[in-house]
Amino acid sequence: MCWDEPVQLNGELSVYQLTWGAYHKNLSHNLTSYTISGLQSNSQYNVTLQAITAGGVGPPEWEVVTTDKGVNVGGIVAGVLVGVLLLAVIVAAVVFRDKLKDKLNKGTSPTLPPRELPMTPRQPSVANSNVKKNKLQEYLEYLEGDTQHGLEMEFSHINIQSPSLPAFAAKKDFNKPKNRFANIHPFDHARVKLSPISGVTGSDYINATYILDIYDKPYFIASQGPKQSTMVDFWRMVLEQRVYTIVMLTNVMEKGREKCAHYWPRPSESFINVGSYIVHNHREERRELYSIRYLEVVAGDQKRVVKQYHFTSWPDFGALERVTDLLDFMADIRSTMLANGDHLLVHCSAGVGRTGTFIGLWNLMDESDRDRRAESINIRQTVLKMREHRPIMVQSAEQFLYLTKCIAAYIEAPHLWSKYQEDNNHIYDNGAFEDDNPIYANTEGQ
């Protein structure tokens, strides 16, 4: 693909942002062409390009591109993005100018961000993405109709409006080996920080992010599946962040590749040592699609039982066949999870696709429960709000469609999956393991 340079800019051009399907890439401001590799043959893609300066992000230029049938597209040129990126970032410039005026009026000096990063406030405009609850089936028909062209367009809007924010910590050389995937980085402003270990560079870093609930509290932690080399950090995070419930949405191995380290004892083991932590599996309950484990982690004088819900039937990048599969799983967690704890830890392999779909559905269900009389629901806004904290949450269009189907089913019959079901047969009272003076504290805060 190729393009012309913008003819009118608000400040010096710093980077181009290229989006196709569920993928993003920042390109050097010196480029006027780029070859997209790895596209599937006989497939349609929405390709979008935006110019970014210190003043903000310009309006998108986009084109629908269809790859040839039967052609080797390993290095295919996706097509030509037409036109000139006119009047780039004028709107963002006004917002930026007004903010500068406010700071000057207060007698303070504005601090500009690094030139290579978009500075924009970029609150996505989602006023037109509200869906009437009684029109959800029509909305689903729109998404799935015409060979899912509506779904492609809707997901393209989400990708265009998703922010690209600084992730300096994740990209430091000493932290790179801790990332399971080279392109999934927690944004700096929302990353979970471990208590630093004296003399150990980067000891506060883990690939995990706080995600807000509907009350704008950082209730969720979205994490990658721990690697063998980060299992100690994973359990350190569980204790420091007062996690009592873990939701695992991946298998340890998928398609012959490790997707997550086996951070709890195998059936043949009574316990495992993870650094200075001892992890026991006290009990395991098996369901058709998932397992529930009661894992006790011991660190010195501190003990804690953590309840792990492990869903084993969700394909990577994809969705489940039935909405009831996830809704039943969600209802079980919401009605039986341990009550204590500050955060709900959710992870798959990368911590964005299945993890984002799960947290998104949780928030949409809570939103529906909070006001059953509300006429509309905003699924796109829910996804964008998560993406302001961690990139690519709800990774694929297929997952967005599945999320929409799930919340539509819940709104139609909320009583089937209410989180207020009572479970009075809890064998484990986790309070017995609570330490009023835990030896771990996140000294750097959130």
Side-chain angles (χ1 to χ4, degrees):
M1 56 176 291
C2 58
W3 60 90
D4 296 327
E5 292 182 358
V7 296
Q8 185 174 354
L9 287 168
N10 177 46
E12 183 178 354
L13 179 64
S14 59
V15 70
Y16 292 107
Q17 186 176 80
L18 178 67
T19 303
W20 68 98
Y23 299 93
H24 303 266
K25 188 172 182 65
N26 287 340
L27 305 177
S28 169
H29 67 281
N30 295 320
L31 293 179
T32 55
S33 65
Y34 182 75
T35 300
I36 301 176
S37 60
L39 301 178
Q40 296 183 354
S41 61
N42 196 28
S43 299
Q44 190 177 79
Y45 294 86
N46 283 322
V47 183
T48 305
L49 187 72
Q50 292 176 280
I52 299 174
T53 75
V57 180
E61 292 288 341
W62 65 279
E63 182 172 335
V64 178
V65 175
T66 302
T67 56
D68 292 338
K69 187 175 184 179
V71 174
N72 181 358
V73 291
I76 194 169
V77 177
V80 178
L81 266 181
V82 296
V84 178
L85 300 175
L86 297 173
L87 303 178
V89 301
I90 286 179
V91 174
V94 173
V95 175
F96 185 47
R97 181 199 62 197
D98 291 343
K99 288 198 170 187
L100 287 179
K101 284 183 178 179
D102 289 342
K103 289 189 176 182
L104 289 172
N105 289 337
K106 293 177 181 178
T108 60
S109 299
T111 301
L112 295 178
R115 276 174 42 188
E116 69 271 18
L117 292 173
M119 176 276 172
T120 72
R122 289 203 74 198
Q123 292 294 333
S125 175
V126 293
N128 61 348
S129 61
N130 282 302
V131 181
K132 296 283 188 181
K133 290 180 179 178
N134 61 359
K135 300 290 185 181
L136 275 168
Q137 290 305 319
E138 293 181 21
Y139 179 61
L140 282 168
E141 291 173 5
Y142 160 73
L143 295 179
E144 296 187 278
D146 191 20
T147 64
Q148 296 194 337
H149 177 68
L151 175 61
E152 184 88 9
M153 293 296 296
E154 184 74 356
F155 201 67
S156 176
H157 287 312
I158 290 173
N159 287 332
I160 290 169
Q161 293 177 313
S162 298
S164 179
L165 301 172
F168 290 125
K171 298 177 183 179
K172 291 180 178 178
D173 289 340
F174 45 80
N175 286 332
K176 285 181 180 178
K178 303 175 187 178
N179 300 318
R180 181 170 288 278
F181 298 96
N183 64 332
I184 306 296
H185 301 130
F187 294 143
D188 289 328
H189 77 95
R191 72 180 180 94
V192 175
K193 294 180 182 178
L194 303 176
S195 297
I197 300 173
S198 179
V200 181
T201 303
S203 56
D204 73 333
Y205 177 76
I206 187 170
N207 194 311
T209 303
Y210 296 110
I211 304 294
L212 303 182
D213 62 13
I214 64 170
Y215 305 102
D216 290 332
K217 303 296 184 183
Y219 176 64
F220 304 99
I221 292 177
S223 170
Q224 71 175 20
K227 301 173 66 176
Q228 295 292 335
S229 58
T230 64
M231 284 172 56
V232 172
D233 291 336
F234 182 83
W235 280 114
R236 188 153 68 100
M237 175 176 68
V238 168
L239 292 178
E240 289 185 358
Q241 296 297 311
R242 286 180 45 82
V243 170
Y244 288 84
T245 303
I246 298 174
V247 178
M248 178 175 177
L249 302 171
T250 182
N251 290 293
V252 170
M253 301 291 295
E254 292 178 346
K255 298 180 180 179
R257 299 180 61 185
E258 184 192 272
K259 292 292 185 175
C260 179
H262 206 296
Y263 58 86
W264 68 96
R266 290 174 170 82
S268 60
E269 301 170 315
S270 58
F271 67 91
I272 59 171
N273 290 302
V274 183
S276 60
Y277 305 100
I278 302 173
V279 183
H280 300 264
N281 185 1
H282 280 306
R283 179 184 174 190
E284 184 165 334
E285 304 169 2
R286 293 190 177 275
R287 308 284 196 271
E288 179 184 357
L289 300 178
Y290 58 95
S291 297
I292 301 173
R293 303 183 182 97
Y294 293 84
L295 307 177
E296 183 188 59
V297 56
V298 181
D301 295 332
Q302 187 184 26
K303 291 193 238 179
R304 179 178 304 167
V305 166
V306 177
K307 196 171 183 180
Q308 183 206 50
Y309 297 83
H310 184 191
F311 199 95
T312 56
S313 304
W314 194 339
D316 197 10
F317 294 102
L320 298 161
E321 292 184 5
R322 301 171 299 187
V323 297
T324 53
D325 291 343
L326 182 55
L327 286 168
D328 289 346
F329 178 60
M330 185 82 76
D332 194 357
I333 297 172
R334 286 158 69 91
S335 62
T336 65
M337 63 184 288
L338 298 169
N340 35 7
D342 291 345
H343 302 285
L344 174 62
L345 173 56
V346 186
H347 77 85
C348 48
S349 183
V352 293
R354 291 169 281 191
T355 295
T357 307
F358 179 93
I359 296 176
L361 179 57
W362 186 295
N363 276 339
L364 287 167
M365 291 168 70
D366 278 353
E367 189 68 41
S368 177
D369 289 343
R370 180 168 65 174
D371 187 2
R372 292 278 173 83
R373 294 174 297 178
E375 295 182 354
S376 302
I377 195 160
N378 201 320
I379 305 166
R380 188 200 301 181
Q381 183 183 37
T382 298
V383 175
L384 286 169
K385 187 175 179 180
M386 291 190 294
R387 288 190 176 196
E388 291 173 1
H389 292 77
R390 187 171 178 86
I392 329 180
M393 294 289 276
V394 185
Q395 190 170 12
S396 68
E398 185 180 2
Q399 289 170 346
F400 178 79
L401 177 63
Y402 183 70
L403 173 62
T404 305
K405 289 180 177 180
C406 285
I407 191 57
Y410 181 76
I411 289 173
E412 185 175 343
H415 60 281
L416 296 179
W417 299 286
S418 172
K419 72 177 180 180
Y420 300 109
Q421 300 172 37
E422 293 295 331
D423 181 358
N424 297 316
N425 193 30
H426 290 171
I427 295 178
Y428 290 88
D429 177 7
N430 206 56
F433 296 97
E434 179 64 14
D435 186 347
D436 293 334
N437 296 295
I439 61 175
Y440 297 96
N442 192 343
T443 58
E444 291 196 14
Q446 297 179 4

